[in-house]
Amino acid sequence: MTGLSRARVARRIAAGAAYGGGGIGLAGAATVGLLMAEAQLARRRVGNGTTPHVPNADGLYGAAYTVPGEPALRLTMLGDSTAAGQGVHRAGQTPGALLASGVAAIAEHPVGLSTVAVPGACSDDLDRQVTRALADPSRVPDVCVIMIGANDVTHRMPPTRSVRHLSSAVRRLRTAGAEVVVGTCPDLGTLQPVQQPLRWLARRASRQLAAAQTIGAVEQGGRTVSLGDLLGPEFAANPRELFGPDSYHPSAEGYATAAMAILPTVCAALGLWPAEEERPDAARREGFLPVARAAAEAAAEAGTEVTAAMPAGSRGPWALLKRRRRRRVAEAEPEPSAQPS
């Protein structure tokens, strides 16, 4: 599928989500039955990530930067098992801990992490998670990271419905005053037990959903980071290193790879990134595009950020597409003296 074709499909899905449509298939109605039948077999083979242990990483990071009277920044993780960190054994290996410690180091300010993500969640659980995240109006998160989408594909949720739930979650969080960064649907075509033709169909469905998620999130004031290709060539080339023991969830190295891709966008949303990094770099093929075109390009390249940039014109809303350099994130456990954020 070409970039323009992917952009058209993504725009149709996003439009269906906005106006209540629900008949647009992930990869075409003729192939969905095969995709889902084989997905059920693949899920049984990998256990669908049934490892019960999910480390509790919530707490205060960067406590050494605490200044009396200055509150910590608040970071909240929403989404599915990848946001919660299922598949690793130490709190410091979860994406929330990696992001909180990275932001604390860059901001030189403590960061309180809270996690409302639930393993196995689909996008229709986001409404409940957002309600939890906003339960205390005096403690609205400064930034929320949402990682969601894989279960939507394998559980046959129509993409229009999936994007509708995500868009609503982003809108509620932004209205409350939180910045929002969405890690879009990963590439399910890289799971080791998945064979052809499911591998091709899963990759196509994942990228279609990721592009549509980007449109929905950006149009509600959020930023997105493509995770698809992070679970593509890198994961396929290093399955023992980048996948966890269940062959479904990322390992500690896999989560670190994803966190390195998301961290720059989280910092940019908080105003922590250097001003020169915010200007588009033509040498890295960055620039302003119609949001559907930017979404399609981002879905095909991991670590690509899309954020709203200009008022809508004759070609619809515009967005800034950036390919941010990845920065290493030091792994860190919550400090022994950490207090709930």
Side-chain angles (χ1 to χ4, degrees), residues 189-204:
T190 62
L191 297 181
Q192 293 304 294
V194 177
Q195 303 299 320
Q196 297 291 11
L198 176 60
R199 185 181 296 273
W200 178 83
L201 293 172
R203 173 167 290 120
R204 184 182 178 196

Side-chain angles (χ1 to χ4, degrees), residues 240-305:
R240 293 185 180 180
E241 180 181 355
L242 292 173
F243 277 121
D246 61 7
S247 298
Y248 188 88
H249 291 101
S251 66
E253 290 295 326
Y255 280 127
T257 301
M260 282 191 290
I262 294 174
L263 178 61
T265 301
V266 171
C267 290
L270 292 170
L272 302 175
W273 224 231
E276 58 269 20
E277 287 281 345
E278 296 308 294
R279 292 191 290 269
D281 185 344
R284 298 205 301 255
R285 294 179 295 115
E286 298 179 346
F288 299 98
L289 294 169
V291 66
R293 180 68 182 275
E297 290 201 17
E301 183 175 344
T304 304
E305 175 191 315

Side-chain angles (χ1 to χ4, degrees), residues 96-189:
L98 294 167
L99 289 170
S101 57
V103 171
I106 291 169
E108 297 186 345
H109 195 86
V111 176
L113 171 67
S114 62
T115 304
V116 297
V118 177
C122 294
S123 293
D124 56 4
D125 191 54
L126 287 176
D127 182 64
R128 184 190 63 82
Q129 293 183 26
V130 170
T131 297
R132 286 188 60 197
L134 301 178
D136 185 349
S138 68
R139 297 174 62 84
V140 172
D142 293 287
V143 62
C144 294
V145 174
I146 303 175
M147 300 170 70
I148 199 82
N151 295 323
D152 295 36
V153 175
T154 60
H155 287 74
R156 292 180 285 181
M157 179 178 288
T160 49
R161 182 182 170 199
S162 175
V163 173
R164 188 179 305 125
H165 285 297
L166 176 62
S167 298
S168 175
V170 174
R171 180 170 60 253
R172 288 181 63 194
L173 292 168
R174 292 291 291 130
T175 299
E179 298 290 340
V180 181
V181 176
V182 177
T184 56
C185 183
D187 184 354
L188 298 181

Side-chain angles (χ1 to χ4, degrees), residues 23-35 204 208:
I24 301 173
L26 283 167
T31 61
V32 168
L34 176 61
L35 170 65
R204 184 182 178 196
Q208 285 181 1

Side-chain angles (χ1 to χ4, degrees), residues 22-73:
I24 301 173
L26 283 167
T31 61
V32 168
L34 176 61
L35 170 65
M36 297 312 161
E38 294 198 20
Q40 294 288 344
L41 294 175
R43 282 211 303 273
R44 282 198 289 271
R45 293 182 63 186
V46 302
N48 199 26
T50 55
T51 304
H53 177 67
V54 180
N56 180 9
D58 288 4
L60 188 68
Y61 293 77
Y65 298 117
T66 299
V67 175
E70 293 187 11
L73 292 170

